[in-house]
Amino acid sequence: MIEDLEKVLFTEREIRNRIREVAKEISRDYRGRDLMLVAVLKGSIFFLTHLAQALKIHTRIDFLGIESFSPGKALPGVVRISKDLDLAIQGMDVLVVEDIVDTGMTLRYLLNVLRERQPSSIGVCAFVDKSNRRLVEIPLKYRCFEIPDRFVVGFGLDYNQRYRNLPCLGILKKEIYQK
Ligand code: IMP
C-alpha cells in the first residue's frame, strides 16, 4: 500500500501525538460535561477511536453513515444519510468527528440535519482540513492537520474503499486514481 503513496504527510507517531494534543484541548473545554461524539462513517473511525481513548471526560459515541465520495464522479454536497444516529442528541453537547473537510458541503448538510434535533451545543472536530478548497464556511472547533489540495489516503481515509488501514496519512499517486 505504502508504495502507492507519492508522499507521506504525517507518520503514525505524528498523528497519535497530534490527536493526544487535540484530546487535551477537548477534555479541558468540556470538563464536567457529558460529551456526545458523533462520528461520520466510515472515514473517521480510526480518528474516533484514538481521540476517544485520549479524552479524559465522559463521552457517548454514536455513528452517522453517509454516502461516500470518489474523485471525478461525486458532486460535492450531494450526500444522503445511510445510517442515522441511534441516540437522541436533544439537549446534549455534540462534537461531530469528521475525517476530512474539503469543500465543506457534506458538513454543512450534516450540521443542518443535526441542529434540527436541538442539541445544547454542536462543534466539529476534523482530522484533516483542506481549507483552501472550501466553498462554504464551516466553523471547525478543533482540527488536527491542515493539508494542501491533494488527494490523501490512510488513517481511515480511502480511495475506492481501500487504504483506510494505512497507519499514516499520505498523498496518493495520481496514476492510481487517474487510471
Ligand atoms: P466535502 O463535502 O467536499 O467537504 O467532502 C468531504 C468528503 O469528501 C470527506 O468526508 C471524504 O469522504 C471525501 N474526501 C475529500 N477529499 C478527500 C481526500 O483527499 N481523500 C479521501 N477522501 C476525501
Side-chain angles (χ1 to χ4, degrees), residues 40 66-69 76-77 79 98-107 130 133-134 147 150-153 157-159:
V40 184
I66 53 164
E67 272 191 6
S68 57
F69 158 107
V79 289
E98 179 63 298
D99 53 356
I100 185 164
V101 189
D102 186 29
T103 62
M105 303 287 275
T106 308
L107 256 183
K130 277 192 199 173
R133 293 253 312 157
R134 204 74 92 249
I147 59 161
R150 299 298 307 278
F151 195 82
V152 293
V153 292
L157 287 158
D158 75 307
Y159 168 62

mmCIF file of all heavy atoms in Angstrom, residues 40 66-69 76-77 79 98-107 130 133-134 147 150-153 157-159, ligand 1:
data_model
loop_
_atom_site.group_PDB
_atom_site.id
_atom_site.type_symbol
_atom_site.label_atom_id
_atom_site.label_comp_id
_atom_site.label_asym_id
_atom_site.label_seq_id
_atom_site.Cartn_x
_atom_site.Cartn_y
_atom_site.Cartn_z
ATOM 1 N N VAL A 40 -18.590 10.359 11.782
ATOM 2 C CA VAL A 40 -19.139 10.187 10.438
ATOM 3 C C VAL A 40 -18.419 9.003 9.773
ATOM 4 O O VAL A 40 -17.208 9.008 9.599
ATOM 5 C CB VAL A 40 -18.962 11.481 9.613
ATOM 6 C CG1 VAL A 40 -19.631 11.331 8.253
ATOM 7 C CG2 VAL A 40 -19.533 12.684 10.365
ATOM 8 N N ILE A 66 -22.936 8.202 5.847
ATOM 9 C CA ILE A 66 -23.332 8.970 4.664
ATOM 10 C C ILE A 66 -22.755 8.304 3.425
ATOM 11 O O ILE A 66 -21.821 7.521 3.515
ATOM 12 C CB ILE A 66 -22.853 10.442 4.731
ATOM 13 C CG1 ILE A 66 -21.345 10.501 4.995
ATOM 14 C CG2 ILE A 66 -23.618 11.230 5.742
ATOM 15 C CD1 ILE A 66 -20.776 11.856 4.695
ATOM 16 N N GLU A 67 -23.310 8.651 2.292
ATOM 17 C CA GLU A 67 -22.787 8.087 1.041
ATOM 18 C C GLU A 67 -21.390 8.608 0.801
ATOM 19 O O GLU A 67 -21.110 9.781 1.019
ATOM 20 C CB GLU A 67 -23.699 8.476 -0.120
ATOM 21 C CG GLU A 67 -24.801 7.486 -0.294
ATOM 22 C CD GLU A 67 -25.569 7.695 -1.585
ATOM 23 O OE1 GLU A 67 -25.178 8.531 -2.392
ATOM 24 O OE2 GLU A 67 -26.574 7.005 -1.740
ATOM 25 N N SER A 68 -20.537 7.715 0.283
ATOM 26 C CA SER A 68 -19.132 8.107 0.139
ATOM 27 C C SER A 68 -18.865 8.854 -1.163
ATOM 28 O O SER A 68 -19.705 8.927 -2.055
ATOM 29 C CB SER A 68 -18.241 6.883 0.242
ATOM 30 O OG SER A 68 -18.613 5.956 -0.734
ATOM 31 N N PHE A 69 -17.659 9.361 -1.224
ATOM 32 C CA PHE A 69 -17.225 10.250 -2.296
ATOM 33 C C PHE A 69 -16.078 9.576 -3.020
ATOM 34 O O PHE A 69 -15.267 8.898 -2.414
ATOM 35 C CB PHE A 69 -16.756 11.546 -1.607
ATOM 36 C CG PHE A 69 -15.812 12.414 -2.365
ATOM 37 C CD1 PHE A 69 -16.246 13.610 -2.916
ATOM 38 C CD2 PHE A 69 -14.470 12.074 -2.492
ATOM 39 C CE1 PHE A 69 -15.372 14.440 -3.582
ATOM 40 C CE2 PHE A 69 -13.593 12.910 -3.158
ATOM 41 C CZ PHE A 69 -14.046 14.087 -3.702
ATOM 42 N N PRO A 76 -19.942 17.529 -4.991
ATOM 43 C CA PRO A 76 -19.779 17.895 -3.593
ATOM 44 C C PRO A 76 -21.110 18.295 -2.964
ATOM 45 O O PRO A 76 -21.895 19.003 -3.589
ATOM 46 C CB PRO A 76 -18.798 19.077 -3.623
ATOM 47 C CG PRO A 76 -18.734 19.533 -5.021
ATOM 48 C CD PRO A 76 -19.199 18.400 -5.891
ATOM 49 N N GLY A 77 -21.330 17.835 -1.757
ATOM 50 C CA GLY A 77 -22.528 18.251 -1.025
ATOM 51 C C GLY A 77 -23.758 17.423 -1.339
ATOM 52 O O GLY A 77 -24.764 17.526 -0.666
ATOM 53 N N VAL A 79 -25.164 14.476 -0.656
ATOM 54 C CA VAL A 79 -24.984 13.349 0.254
ATOM 55 C C VAL A 79 -26.332 12.906 0.793
ATOM 56 O O VAL A 79 -27.315 13.625 0.720
ATOM 57 C CB VAL A 79 -24.037 13.707 1.437
ATOM 58 C CG1 VAL A 79 -22.620 13.856 0.977
ATOM 59 C CG2 VAL A 79 -24.515 14.931 2.170
ATOM 60 N N GLU A 98 -15.093 14.278 12.245
ATOM 61 C CA GLU A 98 -15.074 14.125 10.784
ATOM 62 C C GLU A 98 -13.654 13.823 10.316
ATOM 63 O O GLU A 98 -12.681 14.340 10.873
ATOM 64 C CB GLU A 98 -15.624 15.425 10.174
ATOM 65 C CG GLU A 98 -15.661 15.494 8.675
ATOM 66 C CD GLU A 98 -16.580 14.471 8.003
ATOM 67 O OE1 GLU A 98 -16.323 13.272 8.166
ATOM 68 O OE2 GLU A 98 -17.508 14.883 7.283
ATOM 69 N N ASP A 99 -13.553 12.995 9.293
ATOM 70 C CA ASP A 99 -12.222 12.642 8.793
ATOM 71 C C ASP A 99 -11.566 13.807 8.047
ATOM 72 O O ASP A 99 -10.443 14.185 8.341
ATOM 73 C CB ASP A 99 -12.286 11.387 7.891
ATOM 74 C CG ASP A 99 -13.306 11.504 6.750
ATOM 75 O OD1 ASP A 99 -14.026 12.522 6.682
ATOM 76 O OD2 ASP A 99 -13.379 10.568 5.932
ATOM 77 N N ILE A 100 -12.296 14.354 7.082
ATOM 78 C CA ILE A 100 -11.689 15.405 6.261
ATOM 79 C C ILE A 100 -12.740 16.420 5.861
ATOM 80 O O ILE A 100 -13.879 16.056 5.568
ATOM 81 C CB ILE A 100 -11.002 14.778 5.021
ATOM 82 C CG1 ILE A 100 -10.241 15.822 4.206
ATOM 83 C CG2 ILE A 100 -11.963 14.028 4.137
ATOM 84 C CD1 ILE A 100 -9.251 15.212 3.213
ATOM 85 N N VAL A 101 -12.364 17.678 5.901
ATOM 86 C CA VAL A 101 -13.263 18.724 5.421
ATOM 87 C C VAL A 101 -12.622 19.311 4.170
ATOM 88 O O VAL A 101 -11.508 19.835 4.218
ATOM 89 C CB VAL A 101 -13.512 19.822 6.476
ATOM 90 C CG1 VAL A 101 -14.624 20.746 5.991
ATOM 91 C CG2 VAL A 101 -13.879 19.213 7.812
ATOM 92 N N ASP A 102 -13.338 19.178 3.087
ATOM 93 C CA ASP A 102 -12.827 19.587 1.783
ATOM 94 C C ASP A 102 -13.614 20.832 1.350
ATOM 95 O O ASP A 102 -13.319 21.930 1.821
ATOM 96 C CB ASP A 102 -13.021 18.367 0.852
ATOM 97 C CG ASP A 102 -12.417 18.534 -0.524
ATOM 98 O OD1 ASP A 102 -11.427 19.255 -0.653
ATOM 99 O OD2 ASP A 102 -12.942 17.935 -1.486
ATOM 100 N N THR A 103 -14.651 20.672 0.527
ATOM 101 C CA THR A 103 -15.458 21.849 0.170
ATOM 102 C C THR A 103 -16.294 22.331 1.359
ATOM 103 O O THR A 103 -16.696 23.484 1.415
ATOM 104 C CB THR A 103 -16.437 21.528 -0.980
ATOM 105 O OG1 THR A 103 -17.336 20.508 -0.538
ATOM 106 C CG2 THR A 103 -15.692 21.051 -2.213
ATOM 107 N N GLY A 104 -16.569 21.420 2.295
ATOM 108 C CA GLY A 104 -17.392 21.765 3.456
ATOM 109 C C GLY A 104 -18.871 21.476 3.238
ATOM 110 O O GLY A 104 -19.687 21.609 4.146
ATOM 111 N N MET A 105 -19.218 21.057 2.022
ATOM 112 C CA MET A 105 -20.639 20.857 1.689
ATOM 113 C C MET A 105 -21.253 19.702 2.491
ATOM 114 O O MET A 105 -22.389 19.799 2.937
ATOM 115 C CB MET A 105 -20.789 20.566 0.190
ATOM 116 C CG MET A 105 -20.207 21.635 -0.688
ATOM 117 S SD MET A 105 -21.202 23.116 -0.711
ATOM 118 C CE MET A 105 -22.369 22.706 -1.973
ATOM 119 N N THR A 106 -20.503 18.632 2.656
ATOM 120 C CA THR A 106 -21.030 17.483 3.408
ATOM 121 C C THR A 106 -21.352 17.906 4.837
ATOM 122 O O THR A 106 -22.430 17.627 5.357
ATOM 123 C CB THR A 106 -19.997 16.336 3.432
ATOM 124 O OG1 THR A 106 -19.593 16.061 2.103
ATOM 125 C CG2 THR A 106 -20.538 15.095 4.092
ATOM 126 N N LEU A 107 -20.402 18.595 5.440
ATOM 127 C CA LEU A 107 -20.600 19.004 6.836
ATOM 128 C C LEU A 107 -21.726 20.013 6.978
ATOM 129 O O LEU A 107 -22.474 19.982 7.954
ATOM 130 C CB LEU A 107 -19.311 19.611 7.377
ATOM 131 C CG LEU A 107 -18.505 18.717 8.302
ATOM 132 C CD1 LEU A 107 -17.292 19.457 8.823
ATOM 133 C CD2 LEU A 107 -19.342 18.209 9.478
ATOM 134 N N LYS A 130 -8.719 20.639 4.423
ATOM 135 C CA LYS A 130 -8.201 21.179 3.154
ATOM 136 C C LYS A 130 -8.841 22.544 2.993
ATOM 137 O O LYS A 130 -9.741 22.729 2.166
ATOM 138 C CB LYS A 130 -8.672 20.292 1.994
ATOM 139 C CG LYS A 130 -7.858 19.066 1.728
ATOM 140 C CD LYS A 130 -8.319 18.513 0.366
ATOM 141 C CE LYS A 130 -7.936 17.089 0.180
ATOM 142 N NZ LYS A 130 -8.527 16.504 -1.044
ATOM 143 N N ARG A 133 -9.828 24.578 -0.220
ATOM 144 C CA ARG A 133 -10.842 24.043 -1.136
ATOM 145 C C ARG A 133 -12.260 24.434 -0.713
ATOM 146 O O ARG A 133 -13.236 24.086 -1.360
ATOM 147 C CB ARG A 133 -10.773 22.511 -1.150
ATOM 148 C CG ARG A 133 -9.519 21.958 -1.754
ATOM 149 C CD ARG A 133 -9.770 21.370 -3.101
ATOM 150 N NE ARG A 133 -10.925 20.480 -3.084
ATOM 151 C CZ ARG A 133 -11.633 20.188 -4.166
ATOM 152 N NH1 ARG A 133 -11.314 20.716 -5.315
ATOM 153 N NH2 ARG A 133 -12.668 19.363 -4.083
ATOM 154 N N ARG A 134 -12.355 25.163 0.391
ATOM 155 C CA ARG A 134 -13.667 25.394 0.991
ATOM 156 C C ARG A 134 -14.597 26.220 0.091
ATOM 157 O O ARG A 134 -14.187 27.249 -0.444
ATOM 158 C CB ARG A 134 -13.480 26.121 2.330
ATOM 159 C CG ARG A 134 -14.652 25.892 3.250
ATOM 160 C CD ARG A 134 -14.708 24.494 3.875
ATOM 161 N NE ARG A 134 -14.029 24.505 5.142
ATOM 162 C CZ ARG A 134 -12.895 23.889 5.359
ATOM 163 N NH1 ARG A 134 -12.318 23.176 4.418
ATOM 164 N NH2 ARG A 134 -12.315 23.953 6.522
ATOM 165 N N ILE A 147 -3.908 20.483 5.363
ATOM 166 C CA ILE A 147 -3.110 19.879 4.281
ATOM 167 C C ILE A 147 -3.362 20.602 2.959
ATOM 168 O O ILE A 147 -4.366 21.282 2.804
ATOM 169 C CB ILE A 147 -3.432 18.368 4.096
ATOM 170 C CG1 ILE A 147 -4.916 18.148 3.777
ATOM 171 C CG2 ILE A 147 -2.987 17.551 5.289
ATOM 172 C CD1 ILE A 147 -5.195 16.809 3.145
ATOM 173 N N ARG A 150 -4.544 18.144 -2.214
ATOM 174 C CA ARG A 150 -4.139 16.895 -2.876
ATOM 175 C C ARG A 150 -5.015 15.773 -2.334
ATOM 176 O O ARG A 150 -5.567 15.897 -1.239
ATOM 177 C CB ARG A 150 -2.660 16.579 -2.559
ATOM 178 C CG ARG A 150 -1.675 17.627 -3.023
ATOM 179 C CD ARG A 150 -1.684 17.804 -4.529
ATOM 180 N NE ARG A 150 -1.492 16.549 -5.247
ATOM 181 C CZ ARG A 150 -0.297 15.988 -5.472
ATOM 182 N NH1 ARG A 150 0.808 16.587 -5.070
ATOM 183 N NH2 ARG A 150 -0.217 14.846 -6.115
ATOM 184 N N PHE A 151 -5.129 14.688 -3.091
ATOM 185 C CA PHE A 151 -5.967 13.582 -2.630
ATOM 186 C C PHE A 151 -5.161 12.698 -1.683
ATOM 187 O O PHE A 151 -4.119 12.165 -2.054
ATOM 188 C CB PHE A 151 -6.509 12.764 -3.814
ATOM 189 C CG PHE A 151 -7.633 11.882 -3.389
ATOM 190 C CD1 PHE A 151 -8.927 12.377 -3.265
ATOM 191 C CD2 PHE A 151 -7.398 10.558 -3.046
ATOM 192 C CE1 PHE A 151 -9.963 11.569 -2.826
ATOM 193 C CE2 PHE A 151 -8.431 9.743 -2.609
ATOM 194 C CZ PHE A 151 -9.714 10.252 -2.504
ATOM 195 N N VAL A 152 -5.654 12.584 -0.453
ATOM 196 C CA VAL A 152 -4.896 11.857 0.571
ATOM 197 C C VAL A 152 -5.644 10.598 1.019
ATOM 198 O O VAL A 152 -6.875 10.535 0.948
ATOM 199 C CB VAL A 152 -4.604 12.755 1.803
ATOM 200 C CG1 VAL A 152 -3.651 13.885 1.442
ATOM 201 C CG2 VAL A 152 -5.889 13.315 2.410
ATOM 202 N N VAL A 153 -4.873 9.632 1.464
ATOM 203 C CA VAL A 153 -5.456 8.384 1.984
ATOM 204 C C VAL A 153 -4.717 7.968 3.258
ATOM 205 O O VAL A 153 -3.631 8.454 3.551
ATOM 206 C CB VAL A 153 -5.365 7.223 0.951
ATOM 207 C CG1 VAL A 153 -6.263 7.462 -0.250
ATOM 208 C CG2 VAL A 153 -3.930 6.973 0.522
ATOM 209 N N LEU A 157 -8.976 7.332 5.812
ATOM 210 C CA LEU A 157 -9.369 7.921 4.527
ATOM 211 C C LEU A 157 -9.103 6.942 3.392
ATOM 212 O O LEU A 157 -8.056 6.289 3.360
ATOM 213 C CB LEU A 157 -8.598 9.223 4.294
ATOM 214 C CG LEU A 157 -9.085 10.356 5.174
ATOM 215 C CD1 LEU A 157 -8.005 11.409 5.327
ATOM 216 C CD2 LEU A 157 -10.334 10.973 4.590
ATOM 217 N N ASP A 158 -10.051 6.896 2.460
ATOM 218 C CA ASP A 158 -9.971 5.863 1.419
ATOM 219 C C ASP A 158 -9.904 6.417 0.009
ATOM 220 O O ASP A 158 -10.234 7.571 -0.239
ATOM 221 C CB ASP A 158 -11.208 4.969 1.499
ATOM 222 C CG ASP A 158 -12.453 5.660 0.928
ATOM 223 O OD1 ASP A 158 -12.754 6.781 1.371
ATOM 224 O OD2 ASP A 158 -13.094 5.097 0.021
ATOM 225 N N TYR A 159 -9.513 5.533 -0.893
ATOM 226 C CA TYR A 159 -9.800 5.711 -2.304
ATOM 227 C C TYR A 159 -10.462 4.402 -2.746
ATOM 228 O O TYR A 159 -9.860 3.325 -2.609
ATOM 229 C CB TYR A 159 -8.525 5.968 -3.132
ATOM 230 C CG TYR A 159 -8.827 5.865 -4.610
ATOM 231 C CD1 TYR A 159 -9.735 6.735 -5.203
ATOM 232 C CD2 TYR A 159 -8.258 4.861 -5.390
ATOM 233 C CE1 TYR A 159 -10.071 6.613 -6.532
ATOM 234 C CE2 TYR A 159 -8.589 4.735 -6.730
ATOM 235 C CZ TYR A 159 -9.495 5.622 -7.300
ATOM 236 O OH TYR A 159 -9.845 5.490 -8.618
HETATM 237 P P1 IMP B 1 -16.668 17.895 1.285
HETATM 238 O O1 IMP B 1 -18.154 17.790 1.300
HETATM 239 O O2 IMP B 1 -16.170 18.434 -0.040
HETATM 240 O O3 IMP B 1 -16.083 18.657 2.439
HETATM 241 O O4 IMP B 1 -16.110 16.430 1.251
HETATM 242 C C1 IMP B 1 -15.934 15.679 2.344
HETATM 243 C C2 IMP B 1 -15.804 14.237 1.952
HETATM 244 O O5 IMP B 1 -15.082 14.062 0.721
HETATM 245 C C3 IMP B 1 -14.986 13.519 3.001
HETATM 246 O O6 IMP B 1 -15.790 13.043 4.043
HETATM 247 C C4 IMP B 1 -14.323 12.417 2.186
HETATM 248 O O7 IMP B 1 -15.163 11.302 2.125
HETATM 249 C C5 IMP B 1 -14.179 12.979 0.801
HETATM 250 N N1 IMP B 1 -12.810 13.490 0.506
HETATM 251 C C6 IMP B 1 -12.477 14.759 0.187
HETATM 252 N N2 IMP B 1 -11.156 14.849 -0.023
HETATM 253 C C7 IMP B 1 -10.645 13.627 0.185
HETATM 254 C C8 IMP B 1 -9.295 13.094 0.144
HETATM 255 O O8 IMP B 1 -8.296 13.782 -0.107
HETATM 256 N N3 IMP B 1 -9.173 11.774 0.444
HETATM 257 C C9 IMP B 1 -10.227 10.965 0.750
HETATM 258 N N4 IMP B 1 -11.496 11.433 0.803
HETATM 259 C C10 IMP B 1 -11.703 12.751 0.522
#
